[in-house]
Amino acid sequence: FTTVYSQGHYRGTSYLMGLLAGYYTYQHRNQPFNKRWTWTLQLAGLSCCLLVYWSGSLFYSRSQAHSRLLGAFYAATFHSVFGLGLALLIVACSVGHTTFLTRIISWKGFIPLSKLSYCVYLVHNIHQFLWIASSRTPVYLNPLELVSWSIADLVISLGASVILCLTIETPVRYLVKYLVSGSLSTAIPQAVQTQEMCDIQDECDLEKR
């Protein structure tokens, strides 16, 4: 964990792929893919993400012996492959045709969760470390306990992130806005309105395709 997973330079390729995906999406937002390319990129992105997700579980199986070369290869590439999968999904859903997967990802119910996602990232492992550090006996996992702990993690993480968002993130955002613009007015500038109208028109055109 300390030598591979938590090191920042191992995530550099993921950041770079995200930047490239955003740049490509912005530059080609008016040049959509056809349906074949859209499905190809979406399936490729899902395959990359699922490959990393399921292959990682193999290293926790005590019944199988793994070579150091295989472990080193996975540690060096899983961030890049997972980032590539997410980048392909972002580009396909943003620039390509509207598909079933695009409608799922664009569900409005994800908007509140997206606003809490960074706060969840900051606080989700605090109570996990506290629970592990306070344990005095070995833990034997079974499906029922795994589901119970997962639900508890979600509730605690989301609850703490709501408090963090309301008490720190949102006030700081408005404070920065006041310091930069000198006003807390919620009025939308004309340039922003024009850009939003263009974005709405692009979304309508995308849905028609």
Side-chain angles (χ1 to χ4, degrees):
F1 180 82
T2 57
T3 58
V4 175
Y5 183 78
S6 61
Q7 298 298 317
H9 59 275
Y10 282 98
R11 307 170 189 271
T13 53
S14 301
Y15 298 149
L16 179 61
M17 289 180 184
L19 290 174
L20 292 177
Y23 178 78
Y24 183 89
T25 300
Y26 179 77
Q27 292 293 330
H28 297 81
R29 62 188 184 278
N30 295 323
Q31 302 174 8
F33 300 130
N34 55 36
K35 284 189 175 181
R36 178 178 298 178
W37 270 108
T38 301
W39 278 110
T40 300
L41 292 178
Q42 288 181 348
L43 292 176
L46 283 176
S47 299
C48 290
C49 294
L50 292 177
L51 176 64
V52 173
Y53 180 79
W54 290 111
S55 60
S57 63
L58 298 177
F59 291 93
Y60 293 92
S61 177
R62 297 183 178 180
S63 61
Q64 298 180 2
H66 303 285
S67 65
R68 293 184 177 181
L69 179 61
L70 181 61
F73 177 78
Y74 178 82
T77 58
F78 80 97
H79 276 304
S80 302
V81 175
F82 195 81
L84 176 62
L86 293 179
L88 292 176
L89 287 174
I90 291 173
V91 172
C93 293
S94 301
V95 184
H97 282 257
T98 301
T99 62
F100 175 73
L101 182 60
T102 307
R103 294 189 180 95
I104 293 177
I105 297 177
S106 302
W107 181 49
K108 293 183 178 180
F110 289 135
I111 295 177
L113 295 178
S114 67
K115 296 181 180 298
L116 298 176
S117 60
Y118 186 69
C119 292
V120 171
Y121 165 73
L122 293 177
V123 303
H124 79 281
N125 57 356
I126 297 177
H127 61 277
Q128 295 176 355
F129 288 153
L130 290 175
W131 175 74
I132 294 174
S134 61
S135 298
R136 295 294 182 267
T137 57
V139 178
Y140 298 94
L141 292 178
N142 58 63
L144 180 59
E145 290 184 351
L146 185 60
V147 171
S148 301
W149 290 337
S150 299
I151 295 175
D153 282 344
L154 285 174
V155 172
I156 295 174
S157 299
L158 289 174
S161 65
V162 169
I163 297 174
L164 188 62
C165 181
L166 294 178
T167 58
I168 297 179
E169 183 179 1
T170 302
V172 170
R173 185 189 306 122
Y174 279 100
L175 179 61
V176 172
K177 180 180 179 181
Y178 176 76
L179 294 176
V180 172
S181 63
S183 174
L184 292 177
S185 174
T186 57
I188 302 176
Q190 183 63 34
V192 177
Q193 292 181 359
T194 304
Q195 182 63 37
E196 289 183 351
M197 293 178 62
C198 294
D199 293 340
I200 294 174
Q201 184 63 37
D202 292 341
E203 292 180 0
C204 294
D205 295 339
L206 184 61
E207 291 179 356
K208 291 180 181 179
R209 294 195 296 268

